[in-house]
Amino acid sequence: MARNIEIKARIDSVTALSEKVSPFATEAPKEILQDDTFFRCEEGRLKLREFADGIGQLIFYRRANEQGPKESFYVLSETDAPGSLREVLSLACGQLGRVKKRRLLYMVGRTRVHLDIVEGLGEFMELEVVLEEGESTAAGMEEAASLMQRLGIQDSQLVEGAYFDLLDGRRRD
């Protein structure tokens, strides 16, 4: 299973943070529209991500729901038919809900910096430090903490859980 170290933080402005990350990004940013459908899953999380061009990814992942840097294990499977796969998974597993977002992706070395505008939630930043096989989580944690500092992200901005959890909490309030 692939692994990374992740953090998620609420931010005031994608535009403002984009100006901070741009000078040390190692690639030009990419804009990505994503529609994530979450399904019932006993052993972690299962979501189907559909992109604007009609392709998709089925993603299974496991990570702790806590603030700050945390290890995530994941497996991806590409699909050319996300619509029919969504229907099959909805019938077989049960659909929990959907999250739609506009993502601006920057690469800073091996770290994916996501600047997200999430429908119904607001603006966020995610860091994903991709770990090599056998690499310690400590190295990824240090890298995430360093990048948080460079971007001016405070501990008070950190968020627990997935966007789906935040949306689900709002629906229950």
Side-chain angles (χ1 to χ4, degrees), residues 60-162:
F60 169 78
Y61 66 99
R62 262 194 315 254
R63 71 165 182 249
N65 283 332
E66 57 189 36
Q67 289 182 341
K70 58 199 146 289
E71 186 174 29
S72 176
F73 299 88
Y74 62 96
V75 178
L76 300 171
S77 179
E78 304 288 330
T79 179
D80 291 331
S84 62
L85 184 55
R86 179 181 296 107
E87 184 178 351
V88 169
L89 289 168
S90 294
L91 292 169
C93 302
Q95 188 180 122
L96 296 173
R98 290 171 87 163
V99 175
K100 296 180 181 184
K101 63 184 168 284
R102 182 177 67 85
R103 171 166 281 177
L104 194 57
L105 168 64
Y106 285 92
M107 292 301 299
V108 178
R110 65 178 176 164
T111 301
R112 296 184 288 252
V113 179
H114 302 154
L115 304 182
D116 294 336
I117 299 175
V118 182
E119 205 173 278
L121 278 182
E123 301 187 29
F124 294 84
M125 181 219 55
E126 287 184 344
L127 299 179
E128 294 178 349
V129 181
V130 179
L131 298 174
E132 298 291 327
E133 190 169 330
E135 183 178 11
S136 75
T137 57
M141 297 273 193
E142 287 176 27
E143 196 167 323
S146 173
L147 194 49
M148 278 176 53
Q149 186 175 25
R150 287 174 74 185
L151 295 174
I153 301 297
Q154 306 298 312
D155 287 344
S156 61
Q157 294 174 263
L158 299 179
V159 175
E160 288 181 32

Side-chain angles (χ1 to χ4, degrees), residues 13-32:
S13 166
V14 162
T15 303
L17 197 55
S18 181
E19 291 173 7
K20 286 184 180 180
V21 72
S22 191
F24 50 91
T26 51
E27 295 180 16
K30 295 176 188 153
E31 185 174 33
I32 307 167

Side-chain angles (χ1 to χ4, degrees), residues 49-57 78-82:
R49 174 166 289 159
E50 186 171 1
F51 298 100
D53 64 2
I55 63 167
Q57 297 173 326
E78 304 288 330
T79 179
D80 291 331

